[in-house]
Amino acid sequence: MRETMKACERLVRLAPLACLPLTTLAAEPQNSASPEAHESRAEWMRGGCGIMVHWLYPKTGEIDTWVDAFDLNGFLSDFDRTGADWLIFTIGQNRGAYASPSATIEKYAGPGHCSRRDLVLEIARAIKARGKRFIAYIPSEIKANPTMHAGFRWNDDDADRHDFQNRWTELLEEWSRRLGGNCDGWWLDGSSKRFHPNGLDIALWTKRLRAGNGRAVLAHNPGMRLYNDLFGSDYTAGETCFIREAP
């Protein structure tokens, strides 16, 4: 464990904007009409562990400057030292910038939000080449990202978020199809009723997230608690502030 944490510290030095919780995730089917299907999807997680690297655009300069400077070989070298079975990596969060190109974002929000370099795809391919698994992190809301509100129809007064869900999942489908079999799963942040008072259209999200890989595992993060009671999840998101809380 000490060697793993040292490697994680090196990863943080490589990407100083990263938050790197070391996470053990257990396959745990959630509220599904067919639990067998959910269990079989996430079975590869059972008994293993992964890490999440929260790499973010720092809100200064162009996104291309930061993405182009990302040391992929150094990052992968330190990932290898952790011994992790899978990597969760951010496509982006709520800073209006994403480490993967997107025609959908350009269509709805204009240029300047996405990098030319597809860093996410590069990392995913490299992780898969190592016989490991890759999970993409992306929020299911953009409340703190006003630069995207108009284009993606985010409206704080709309409890259903119907128009937003349609457009945002259109974006996720684009990324899902490009990543294809290189993406083994998704970690969806902000899926709770704090951001979606009337809940998500789970059928829509599931269909579009799995457009590129029908076996991808999904986790809708309900917030800082260890269990996941959100329908549509194959495994527990596991967000926590204290390692001592882990089961």
Side-chain angles (χ1 to χ4, degrees):
M1 175 64 106
R2 180 172 296 177
E3 289 303 312
T4 297
M5 295 308 295
K6 285 181 179 178
C8 288
E9 288 171 5
R10 285 192 291 271
L11 280 170
V12 173
R13 287 198 296 273
L14 277 170
L17 305 171
C19 170
L20 234 172
L22 181 66
T23 310
T24 300
L25 301 176
E28 190 170 307
Q30 302 294 328
N31 299 328
S32 170
S34 57
E36 296 83 1
H38 279 272
E39 187 174 4
S40 62
R41 277 197 185 93
E43 188 63 30
W44 55 266
M45 289 178 136
R46 196 179 300 279
C49 70
I51 58 173
M52 175 187 283
V53 178
H54 220 72
W55 188 88
L56 298 176
Y57 165 67
K59 297 185 178 180
T60 59
E62 296 183 354
I63 180 64
D64 282 323
T65 302
W66 296 95
V67 172
D68 288 347
F70 190 95
D71 180 1
L72 180 60
N73 290 332
F75 177 83
L76 292 169
S77 176
D78 280 342
F79 171 79
D80 292 340
R81 289 188 178 95
T82 70
D85 299 301
W86 64 85
L87 170 69
I88 305 173
F89 192 88
T90 44
I91 298 177
Q93 202 188 35
N94 272 333
R95 298 190 172 191
Y98 303 88
S100 181
S102 169
T104 308
I105 288 180
E106 289 215 6
K107 177 173 68 172
Y108 291 133
H113 294 280
C114 298
S115 60
R116 292 184 300 265
R117 178 187 184 187
D118 199 335
L119 178 61
V120 175
L121 181 57
E122 287 181 26
I123 292 174
R125 283 174 172 167
I127 294 298
K128 293 293 288 183
R130 286 162 164 73
K132 307 288 186 175
R133 305 271 188 161
F134 178 82
I135 296 174
Y137 167 104
I138 194 72
S140 62
E141 50 81 25
I142 55 171
K143 183 177 177 65
N145 181 10
T147 65
M148 308 279 281
H149 283 189
F152 280 90
R153 300 290 191 267
W154 178 269
N155 183 353
D156 284 331
D157 297 324
D158 177 13
D160 288 330
R161 311 266 195 267
H162 177 75
D163 291 340
F164 166 76
Q165 291 193 62
N166 273 327
R167 292 195 174 191
W168 196 248
T169 56
E170 180 184 340
L171 165 63
L172 299 184
E173 180 174 350
E174 178 192 355
W175 278 327
S176 176
R177 289 188 182 280
R178 184 183 306 140
L179 288 164
N182 294 299
C183 183
D184 297 289
W186 295 83
W187 202 97
L188 289 303
D189 210 356
S191 297
S192 68
K193 290 195 173 183
R194 173 187 173 192
F195 299 106
H196 297 279
N198 289 349
L200 296 174
D201 181 345
I202 291 297
L204 174 68
W205 287 74
T206 300
K207 177 182 177 181
R208 288 185 163 176
L209 285 164
R210 290 198 177 125
N213 180 3
R215 303 295 298 170
V217 294
L218 310 179
H220 289 277
N221 183 29
M224 291 189 184
R225 58 179 188 261
L226 292 178
Y227 62 92
N228 194 343
D229 59 358
L230 293 178
F231 181 72
S233 295
D234 299 292
Y235 66 101
T236 300
E239 182 175 7
T240 180
C241 291
F242 304 101
I243 292 179
R244 62 180 172 80
E245 290 182 1

